[in-house]
Amino acid sequence: MTTPRQAPNVTLPRMSLSPSGRRVWPLLLGALLLVWVISQGVKVIPAGFVGVVFSSFSGVKPVVLQEGIHFVVPFVDKVNLYDARLQEVTLAHDAPNANDSEGAIRARSKEGLDITADVTVQFRIDRARAAVLHKELGRNYLQTVIRPQVRSKVRDAIGQFSAADIISTQRQAVEASITKALRDVFSRNNLVLDSVLLRELRIPESIAKAIEQKQAAEQQVAVERNRLQQSSISAQRAVVEAQGAAKAAIEQAKGEAQALSLRGRALRENPQLIQLTVAEKLAPTIQTVMLPSGGNFLLDLKSLGSVGATGTTTPAKTTP
């Protein structure tokens, strides 16, 4: 049986600090502690965020920290970051993990028909009032305000319109009504509404077909009404043209009558014009020349022609 060998004793050299070294180490440790404490009071607010300071002594401070470096009281002030960039919430049937709080909005139209709406709401927090938002709502404002209010206002807006109007001509009016109602709610809760987007509105297929047939019938009626109006306009145009033609004929007759009246008056006042007129009418067949009224005789051109041929002269007949 062998006895265990004992390990040799090793003597370590003793380190002794000089009096100056004993003073340096506490100072170094104090400096490191001070740097660490100061670093706890330096807060950096990232781009697009704001900081809300909560003091253990005074509660939420009203001053909101904007982007950049800020100094707070270490271990007393706590900075809560809020995303101030544009955000959106979508309530749709095809949303990821859609459930009762995330899925599409089911509403009823003015006549009581079921309508399903997919909606996207874009918003941001009010940077200047982020402290009030933190104090009154906290970070859970999506669940406490936005989603329930969006559902409520969409149902209210859809209930003001008929299904036919919603899916045809009044879609923008529905969006405007929802936007106005939500803007008031968001403003009261220190949020800023950017836009409301109605992604899709769905109604039962049977109702959609009935509405389409009704709209087609209304369009046909409008076409027929337009044709009737065109026919009425054509008839009115014909009446107006006939009245115009009648008035023109009347005016022409009046003009002719007035011309005859003036001509008769002129003949009465100038009897010589009668002889001139008769001569003009008979000139092609009767060769008679009317001499001036002072001569008081007519000249028979035929007799003059015969005299010229025989060489004798026939006295002209004088009128008394």
Side-chain angles (χ1 to χ4, degrees), residues 173-311:
V174 175
E175 283 188 358
S177 178
I178 298 171
T179 301
K180 182 179 182 300
L182 285 180
R183 182 167 284 120
D184 295 338
V185 173
F186 278 36
S187 178
R188 291 196 303 268
N189 289 277
N190 309 298
L191 299 167
V192 179
L193 179 66
D194 187 82
S195 62
V196 175
L197 307 175
L198 282 178
R199 299 174 52 190
E200 186 178 0
L201 292 170
R202 297 183 302 279
I203 62 176
E205 186 176 356
S206 58
I207 302 299
K209 289 182 178 179
I211 292 175
E212 290 177 358
Q213 293 175 356
K214 179 182 177 182
Q215 291 177 345
E218 292 177 349
Q219 291 177 357
Q220 185 64 29
V221 170
V223 170
E224 295 299 330
R225 186 182 294 113
N226 186 30
R227 290 177 179 174
L228 290 175
Q229 290 178 351
Q230 291 178 353
S231 301
S232 176
I233 292 173
S234 299
Q236 292 177 1
R237 184 184 298 111
V239 171
V240 172
E241 291 177 353
Q243 292 176 349
K247 290 181 179 179
I250 292 173
E251 295 299 327
Q252 183 178 0
K254 288 181 179 179
E256 292 177 354
Q258 187 176 3
L260 290 175
S261 176
L262 292 175
R263 186 176 181 85
R265 184 184 303 172
L267 292 175
R268 287 193 300 271
E269 295 177 353
N270 300 281
Q272 295 84 357
L273 292 176
I274 298 175
Q275 296 177 1
L276 176 60
T277 303
V278 172
E280 289 176 350
K281 297 294 184 180
L282 298 178
T285 57
I286 300 176
Q287 298 182 359
T288 303
V289 177
M290 294 181 63
L291 296 178
S293 60
N296 198 23
F297 62 89
L298 294 175
L299 183 61
D300 190 354
L301 295 179
K302 184 181 294 185
S303 61
L304 289 177
S306 61
V307 170
T310 59

Side-chain angles (χ1 to χ4, degrees), residues 113-142:
L113 298 177
D114 288 333
I115 295 180
T116 305
D118 292 349
V119 181
T120 295
V121 176
Q122 296 178 329
F123 68 96
R124 65 186 79 233
I125 69 170
D126 189 345
R127 300 175 70 99
R129 297 183 59 82
V132 181
L133 174 68
H134 177 73
K135 186 175 182 179
E136 294 181 354
L137 299 179
R139 299 180 180 279
N140 204 27
Y141 53 84
L142 281 177

Side-chain angles (χ1 to χ4, degrees), residues 14 25 34 37 44 56 60 74 104 110 180 225 242 283 287 308 318:
R14 294 182 179 180
W25 277 105
L34 180 62
V37 171
V44 177
S56 300
V60 177
K110 188 175 182 179
K180 182 179 182 300
R225 186 182 294 113
Q287 298 182 359
T318 59

